[in-house]
Amino acid sequence: SFVVSARAATAATAPATREATRTMTMRSSNGFELSNLAHRRRRVATPVRAMRDGGNDRDGLTRSWMRVTLASAIAIAVCYADRSNMSTAIIALASDYELSKTAQGAVLSAFFYGYGATQIVGGSFADAYGGKWVLLAGCVVWSCATLATPAAADVGTGVAALVGARVILGAGEGVAFPAVHAVISRHVPVERQSTAVAVVTAASYAGAAVAFAATPPIVSAFGWRAAFYSFGGLMVFWLPLWLPLNLSESSARNEQRVALDDDDGEGAIDIVEETRRLTSLDEASTPSSTATIAPPPPSSMAIWRELIKRQEVKAICVAQFAQSWGMYGLLSWLPTYFHDAQGVELANLAAFTFVPYILQGGVGLAVGVIADDFINIRNVPTRKVRQWAQGVGMIGPALALVVAASPVCDHNPTAAAITVDIGLALSALTLAGVSVSHLDIAPKHAGLVFATGNTCATLAGIIGVPLFGIILDATDQSWPVVFASIAVVYIAGAYYYINAIDVGDIDADVIRAARM
């Protein structure tokens, strides 16, 4: 009954709304009237050509962005599966090669050196040329590095060759998220971008969950080398989904087109084309108007220098660092924690290590849809949604880790698993926070902003993952110290983000400043 009443009210007020919007005009300097297009009823992301032809392409467009999102999500799932299998495989690998926790930390953290090196480069290329081929190249590199990992481990140079393979793996994966976010910013309607980001990021949790679930039985049955061969070959199942996609710039313009209803509600005009037409008429009728040459666009480096000066970008970077301090640390060391501190056998690790990432994936999918609903339907301010999501998504895990570090969870793998599960599930709320902030503030440079934030996240992996190994060796395997350090960083990062983040579009200001 609520829906029927709402539709009736909309129908009753529509004529008055149309009449009011017709009167909203602004005069140019020569007296021409330019329609105030921003105040007319919009239909976002509907292809204009299809509507003019009388066709209804909304379903087709929906299928288009969903196909793009699904293919991107599968790529990210493969990406995380290929990086995460080492967290479990290293238990058997370390036993074969007698590696200390410090040496294990060096191997686990090597990934992040390559990952950080290609973030900004990948974001720049993706913003400039589109994400399709950037992501494809990255997938080929990281898959080959995964397949080569066993051979690298067998080289008689200690862990040097193994570290090198992990660096190459990270370099390939470093372009993945910047490329995907550039694709989303171009090929997914604005009102569905939170959902798309949530789906893609939830896929990262799903990929990690698959790795944590499948690696223990693979290692137990076939040895740790088989885990890398199995996961390295996953790329062949993704290629048939990705290669046929049309992700050209013309396709992006068509999918992001904004259309306006005409007076009868049947058909539309293109806001961009209409604005250009009226502007050209205005210029042609102005005797004093002279042709001007547009200044060249600023370089990516000039734009990046301006971006990192902005408070909003700093908030993204701090939050990415803080949450990755915990996320990457747990992703790398969680199997070792349950094996060493809780006495769980390798063959049984899956039951304790993959559930958190399943929960994260589920919460991640839900929070993206809920965030879009709060912002677009319930009219909750975007900034407030981002602040609450990020705050709960970081402070909640911090409190969970404090409990996990307490005597309550000593030699109690079930209690420890439940506590960690709750904490990591809550961390998925950040998918409606910092994970989409770059789309709020800089849609034209989403790949570059995300790459900058993700580089800071990578620094957390470079510093935190080996540091945790050093702490464990120095404190006789004191996991409470590790968990406490994660909790402190979580809370500090949440505090900074909540107070510093904003949601206004800074693209125009950044481009203007970069030209100076």
Side-chain angles (χ1 to χ4, degrees), residues 369-391:
V369 176
I370 293 170
D372 281 340
D373 178 79
F374 273 114
I375 294 168
N376 299 317
I377 306 300
R378 302 174 189 269
N379 296 318
V380 178
T382 302
R383 184 170 185 262
K384 183 171 291 187
V385 171
R386 304 294 181 237
Q387 288 172 319
W388 273 99
Q390 192 68 27

Side-chain angles (χ1 to χ4, degrees), residues 213-491:
T215 303
I218 291 174
V219 172
S220 297
F222 306 106
W224 61 265
R225 291 173 178 81
F228 296 98
Y229 298 140
S230 301
F231 286 101
L234 291 176
M235 177 185 69
V236 299
F237 299 102
W238 170 74
L239 289 176
L241 299 174
W242 189 250
L243 291 177
L245 292 178
N246 178 16
L247 300 181
S248 64
E249 288 303 301
S250 60
S251 171
R253 287 192 294 272
N254 191 46
E255 289 168 357
Q256 294 289 6
R257 194 70 61 91
V258 177
L260 302 176
D261 289 339
D262 66 9
D263 293 341
D264 298 325
E266 302 174 348
I269 58 173
D270 180 352
I271 188 172
V272 177
E273 291 179 2
E274 184 70 2
T275 302
R276 288 175 178 170
R277 182 182 70 79
L278 293 170
T279 303
S280 64
L281 289 174
D282 181 44
E283 291 177 350
S285 63
T286 304
S288 60
S289 62
T290 58
T292 59
I293 299 175
S299 67
S300 294
M301 184 56 65
I303 291 173
W304 181 75
R305 284 196 297 265
E306 294 302 322
L307 283 171
I308 61 174
K309 296 176 184 177
R310 300 297 300 241
Q311 170 183 299
E312 301 91 332
V313 177
K314 292 177 182 177
I316 291 172
C317 291
V318 170
Q320 291 273 61
F321 179 93
Q323 71 181 45
S324 295
W325 182 268
M327 181 65 187
Y328 289 153
L330 292 174
L331 187 69
S332 300
W333 288 105
L334 197 59
T336 302
Y337 164 70
F338 280 108
H339 181 266
D340 292 357
Q342 299 293 348
V344 179
E345 294 296 327
L346 178 61
N348 299 323
L349 276 178
F352 294 90
T353 58
F354 92 99
V355 173
Y357 302 102
I358 293 294
L359 292 175
Q360 280 186 315
V363 173
L365 287 172
V367 75
V369 176
I370 293 170
D372 281 340
D373 178 79
F374 273 114
I375 294 168
N376 299 317
I377 306 300
R378 302 174 189 269
N379 296 318
V380 178
T382 302
R383 184 170 185 262
K384 183 171 291 187
V385 171
R386 304 294 181 237
Q387 288 172 319
W388 273 99
Q390 192 68 27
V392 177
M394 294 183 75
I395 295 173
L399 297 177
L401 289 175
V402 170
V403 175
S406 71
V408 173
C409 294
D410 278 352
H411 306 293
N412 190 341
T414 301
I418 292 173
T419 303
V420 171
D421 289 352
I422 293 172
L424 288 178
L426 288 174
S427 72
L429 295 176
T430 63
L431 298 189
V434 70
S435 293
V436 287
S437 289
H438 55 292
L439 299 176
D440 293 331
I441 68 168
K444 292 182 180 178
H445 302 101
L448 191 55
V449 175
F450 183 86
T452 303
N454 221 23
T455 299
C456 293
T458 303
L459 289 176
I462 291 173
I463 299 169
V465 173
L467 179 61
F468 298 153
I470 294 171
I471 290 173
L472 291 171
D473 277 340
T475 60
D476 193 24
Q477 316 299 309
S478 178
W479 289 95
V481 175
V482 172
F483 288 167
S485 74
I486 294 173
V488 169
V489 175
Y490 265 150
I491 293 172

Side-chain angles (χ1 to χ4, degrees), residues 86-137:
M86 177 61 85
S87 298
T88 302
I90 199 168
I91 296 172
L93 188 155
S95 178
D96 285 354
Y97 294 99
E98 299 181 350
L99 301 181
S100 67
K101 290 293 189 294
T102 301
Q104 292 177 49
V107 172
L108 291 169
S109 65
F111 165 89
F112 297 103
Y113 288 92
Y115 192 68
T118 56
Q119 288 287 309
I120 294 175
V121 174
S124 297
F125 272 92
D127 282 342
Y129 306 109
K132 180 176 182 178
W133 302 110
V134 174
L135 181 59
L136 177 63

